């Protein structure tokens, strides 16, 4: 059984609303779980905290991850995902306003599958959301499910 729920990790309510609106406008109808900080994202993916009862074998097809997050930043979230066997291959797209070369290098170095800078213009953001959805939800072949160790 596959999980088609997208995990959006975004602490900015405006960017969250913009992303969800862009998905709707592009007919991306997948359920979206929003984690508003790095701890909540890790709890969701590892079945801890408020998500202790969640079936962690049902991983999202993609995690859309902001970098600048409270509690645990996006790069640390990515580091922990890549360190765990059952989330090591989970597709992670960094969607951030950061254009820092250091952030891109660290993100890719830690195993991000893609790095997308958030467009400021809404029509460009719509197009970016459409392309992300088309690729990660329709074209991309998911990695095989790995056992949880």
């Amino acid at each position: 059984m596959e999980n088609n729920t997208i995990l959006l990790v975004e602490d900015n309510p405006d960017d969250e609303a913009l992303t969800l609106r862009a998905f709707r406008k592009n007919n991306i109808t997948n359920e979206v779980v929003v984690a508003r900080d790095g701890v909540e994202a890790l709890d969701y993916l590892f079945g801890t905290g408020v998500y202790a009862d969640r079936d962690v074998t049902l991983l999202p097809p993609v995690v859309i991850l902001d970098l600048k997050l409270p509690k645990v930043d996006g790069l640390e979230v990515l580091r922990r995902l890549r360190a765990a066997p059952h989330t090591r291959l989970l597709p992670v797209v960094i969607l951030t306003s950061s254009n820092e070369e250091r952030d891109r290098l660290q993100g890719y170095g830690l195993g991000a599958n893609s790095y997308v800078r958030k467009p400021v213009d809404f029509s460009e953001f719509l197009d970016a959301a459409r392309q992300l959805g088309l690729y990660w939800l329709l074209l991309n072949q998911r990695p095989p499910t790995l056992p949880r160790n």
Side-chain angles (χ1 to χ4, degrees), residues 1-5 31 54-61 142-145:
M1 186 170 155
E2 288 191 336
N3 179 16
N4 289 313
T5 301
E31 179 185 353
R54 195 181 85 72
D55 181 354
V56 295
T57 63
L58 298 176
L59 292 173
R142 295 183 192 190
T145 303

Side-chain angles (χ1 to χ4, degrees), residues 22-23 26 28 124-136:
F23 283 168
N26 284 295
I28 297 170
E124 290 176 13
F125 196 95
L126 276 177
D127 189 51
R130 181 186 61 75
Q131 290 181 45
L132 285 172
L134 177 65
Y135 181 77
W136 290 106

Side-chain angles (χ1 to χ4, degrees), residues 50-132:
V50 297
Y51 295 103
D53 293 333
R54 195 181 85 72
D55 181 354
V56 295
T57 63
L58 298 176
L59 292 173
V62 65
V63 174
I64 300 174
L65 179 66
D66 190 16
L67 291 182
K68 311 299 184 208
L69 297 169
K71 298 183 183 177
V72 174
D73 72 27
L75 291 172
E76 181 60 26
V77 169
L78 183 57
R79 185 177 288 109
R80 292 184 195 181
L81 292 179
R82 294 307 184 236
H86 88 287
T87 57
R88 182 170 294 137
L89 300 177
L90 179 64
V92 176
V93 174
I94 295 173
L95 180 63
T96 184
S97 56
S98 174
N99 199 27
E100 296 291 323
E101 183 175 321
R102 182 190 57 176
D103 287 340
R104 287 195 315 271
L105 284 170
Q106 284 185 295
Y108 280 120
L110 290 169
N113 299 89
S114 185
Y115 189 104
V116 179
R117 188 161 185 276
K118 293 177 188 172
V120 176
D121 178 74
F122 183 66
S123 65
E124 290 176 13
F125 196 95
L126 276 177
D127 189 51
R130 181 186 61 75
Q131 290 181 45
L132 285 172

Side-chain angles (χ1 to χ4, degrees), residues 30-52:
N30 299 56
E31 179 185 353
V32 178
V33 170
V34 179
R36 292 179 178 86
D37 61 56
V39 170
E40 188 178 355
L42 292 168
D43 282 348
Y44 180 82
L45 292 165
F46 290 102
T48 55
V50 297
Y51 295 103

